[in-house]
Amino acid sequence: MSSVSLKTEFAGIKLNSPIMTASGTFGFGEEFEDFADFSTLGAIVVKGTTLEPRNGNRGIRIAETPAGMLNCIGLENPGVQFLVNEILPRIGKYNCPIIVNISGNTVEEYGELAKILDIDGVKAIELNVSCPNVKEGGIAFGVEPKSMVAVIKAAKKNTGKPVIIKLSPNVTDIAVMAKAAENAGADAVSLINTLIGMAIDINTCKPVLGNITGGLSGPAVKPVALRMVWQVRKAISLPIIGMGGIMNAQDAIEFFLAGADAVAIGTANFVEPDSTVKIYRDLKKYLEQKNLTDIRDLIGKLRT
């Protein structure tokens, strides 16, 4: 038997591995029962949840791009009460930590969501701050430190769970945002959320996506995500979930070396629904080849 251990701890949560699923790419976990081995996952980060049910955006919502994909789903979800009453009791059988990603239109909504989800069956909440701040004229919470800090404080005030802030890459300096999050009391950060992109149909001369713009993810964003994780690691001491274009174990290893304590797999789930299992297996092989016995021996070991 292998002596390599992928067990770790993240923001006080014990994990079977540092491999998580990125919100919005793994549903609520049930959709992947036939493909994923939940014992190899560190946590399932479920799709974004809002106070009320949302139908999402109209028109085309996903488009393939060279080395990636665009999406403008629009936070389609059944609402937090349905999640609490119907979904969480079902997915509790996986014996895998559940992290709930939340989105709000106002600071107060984030606080209310955090309070509702301060229950058994939820190990942590992840704040999606890449959505508009209605009271501030539609500016996204995650691109301005003051707004982001207000969201973090509202969540922390209303929950005893670890609060993870998902950082937007669509900012001038990601390290400044990460430091502001740390100072505001966040327990961890995850990065990166999607970059803003678009596609145009040259036959119709119209945008491909119904929302015109969407979030770009996949291998195309990996170099940007990797650089930002490295920058954030130098700026803060909080645990980091690294994500952005991780398609295989080699990609994941790069993020660990750059300073990520855990990684989240996103777009790869659409391409290979068992990608998390393959990454787990190949990550163990890599550690064996390097004569390392603990995943933590790899974190932040980039040589510069």
Side-chain angles (χ1 to χ4, degrees), residues 198-262:
M198 68 181 295
I200 297 173
D201 185 330
I202 63 171
N203 293 311
T204 64
C205 300
K206 294 181 178 180
V208 172
L209 296 175
N211 198 53
I212 303 179
T213 63
L216 176 66
S217 63
V221 310
K222 182 189 139 194
V224 175
L226 199 60
R227 181 262 296 176
M228 288 189 168
V229 166
W230 172 70
Q231 284 182 302
V232 168
R233 178 73 292 158
K234 292 192 299 178
I236 66 172
S237 59
L238 294 179
I240 296 172
I241 304 172
M243 67 187 82
I246 300 174
M247 305 298 287
N248 51 47
Q250 178 176 324
D251 293 333
I253 291 162
E254 290 184 54
F255 276 84
F256 290 126
L257 290 171
D261 300 277

Side-chain angles (χ1 to χ4, degrees), residues 23-242:
S23 174
T25 68
F26 206 74
F28 294 106
E30 296 172 306
E31 299 86 338
F32 285 78
E33 281 188 356
D34 294 337
F35 308 101
D37 178 355
F38 295 104
S39 69
T40 66
L41 286 176
I44 297 172
V45 185
V46 299
K47 68 182 302 181
T49 297
T50 53
L51 273 178
E52 302 297 332
R54 289 183 59 143
N55 292 324
N57 291 323
R58 301 177 66 179
I60 294 175
R61 304 197 293 187
I62 293 180
E64 189 172 354
T65 69
M69 62 180 282
L70 286 165
N71 90 85
C72 61
I73 305 301
L75 296 173
E76 177 186 352
N77 77 98
V80 68
Q81 291 301 338
F82 189 87
L83 172 69
V84 169
N85 297 330
E86 301 291 336
I87 298 174
L88 287 179
R90 296 201 304 262
I91 63 178
K93 67 182 180 182
Y94 300 141
N95 292 318
C96 180
I98 301 298
I99 297 173
V100 179
N101 177 287
I102 63 173
S103 294
N105 290 319
T106 64
V107 171
E108 292 78 14
E109 284 191 8
Y110 281 96
E112 190 173 348
L113 282 161
K115 187 173 184 178
I116 293 170
L117 292 165
D118 192 24
I119 56 174
D120 291 340
V122 175
K123 286 293 186 180
I125 60 171
E126 181 183 58
L127 307 177
N128 176 8
V129 289
S130 297
C131 41
N133 180 352
V134 173
K135 285 188 176 180
E136 299 298 332
I139 299 173
F141 290 102
V143 300
E144 195 277 312
K146 182 179 177 181
S147 296
M148 182 190 68
V149 165
V151 169
I152 294 170
K153 289 184 175 180
K156 289 289 294 181
K157 183 179 178 181
N158 286 280
T159 184
K161 310 288 183 183
V163 172
I164 305 164
I165 181 78
K166 190 168 189 176
L167 299 177
S168 169
N170 304 301
V171 296
T172 303
D173 191 335
I174 192 78
V176 168
M177 300 300 291
K179 192 65 182 176
E182 182 175 47
N183 291 339
D187 298 288
V189 299
S190 59
L191 67 151
I192 60 173
N193 209 330
T194 54
L195 291 157
I196 299 172
M198 68 181 295
I200 297 173
D201 185 330
I202 63 171
N203 293 311
T204 64
C205 300
K206 294 181 178 180
V208 172
L209 296 175
N211 198 53
I212 303 179
T213 63
L216 176 66
S217 63
V221 310
K222 182 189 139 194
V224 175
L226 199 60
R227 181 262 296 176
M228 288 189 168
V229 166
W230 172 70
Q231 284 182 302
V232 168
R233 178 73 292 158
K234 292 192 299 178
I236 66 172
S237 59
L238 294 179
I240 296 172
I241 304 172

